[in-house]
Amino acid sequence: MINIEFGILILLLIMLVLVISIFGFVIRKLLGVERKKWFSYHHLNERHRKLDWSLRLITILFLISSYYMIDNNKIEIPWYFKTSFIIIVFLIASELLRAFMEWKYAENKRDFVATIAEMMFIIGIVFLTITTDFFGLLNI
């Protein structure tokens, strides 16, 4: 029984990634914007690189703090130290930083519109998926 649920979860996650990828492709095509590579460190300039790595370092420090708070069973963990919250805030902050830098420094000024549209779509899909228990297909 648990293997079937795990298989369904994997299939749903693959479908979500596919839907998000298709949306990103379509929005970038409509706006005439170059496609971004997944998991790339495409920094627009040195300032963007420094700010991005500073944000990553702060996130790592929060994750390490979170780990030590979880390891200590005597205290209750505040909501802002939960691992999922830290990762979600990092992803949103990272994309907002990218959008700001694209708005400020990119050659094609529509880059930031595509970045913000993709981020909002991803947030909406993830929120909808979690609040509906994967659209009622899975009781997590």
Side-chain angles (χ1 to χ4, degrees):
M1 185 76 168
I2 200 156
N3 290 334
I4 293 172
E5 288 179 358
F6 183 72
I8 291 172
L9 178 64
I10 295 297
L11 183 63
L12 288 172
L13 290 174
I14 290 170
M15 287 174 43
L16 285 176
V17 168
L18 186 63
V19 166
I20 290 169
S21 297
I22 290 170
F23 178 81
F25 175 78
V26 169
I27 196 75
R28 290 193 174 276
K29 200 69 146 164
L30 288 173
L31 292 172
V33 175
E34 210 174 294
R35 183 178 62 90
K36 289 189 299 188
K37 294 180 182 176
W38 277 38
F39 303 112
S40 69
Y41 296 127
H42 176 67
H43 298 113
L44 294 168
N45 55 26
E46 188 63 22
R47 185 177 187 193
H48 183 202
R49 186 186 69 75
K50 286 179 182 178
L51 288 171
D52 187 53
W53 280 102
S54 298
L55 182 62
R56 291 170 192 268
L57 180 63
I58 291 168
T59 302
I60 289 170
L61 292 175
F62 266 92
L63 287 171
I64 290 170
S65 300
S66 168
Y67 172 76
Y68 284 111
M69 291 183 89
I70 290 171
D71 196 37
N72 185 359
N73 293 334
K74 296 178 184 171
I75 61 173
E76 185 177 329
I77 302 167
W79 58 270
Y80 48 85
F81 273 111
K82 303 246 178 181
T83 305
S84 58
F85 179 77
I86 293 170
I87 291 172
I88 289 169
V89 168
F90 164 72
L91 292 173
I92 291 172
S94 179
E95 287 301 302
L96 285 175
L97 175 64
R98 174 183 298 284
F100 177 76
M101 289 304 206
E102 288 172 345
W103 171 72
K104 193 92 167 157
Y105 300 109
E107 291 177 19
N108 187 349
K109 294 298 179 185
R110 290 179 287 190
D111 278 344
F112 85 96
V113 175
T115 299
I116 290 175
E118 285 181 272
M119 182 185 65
M120 297 304 290
F121 183 75
I122 291 170
I123 290 170
I125 287 290
V126 169
F127 180 76
L128 185 65
T129 302
I130 291 171
T131 57
T132 61
D133 288 332
F134 283 88
F135 304 103
L137 296 174
L138 208 62
N139 292 327
I140 297 176

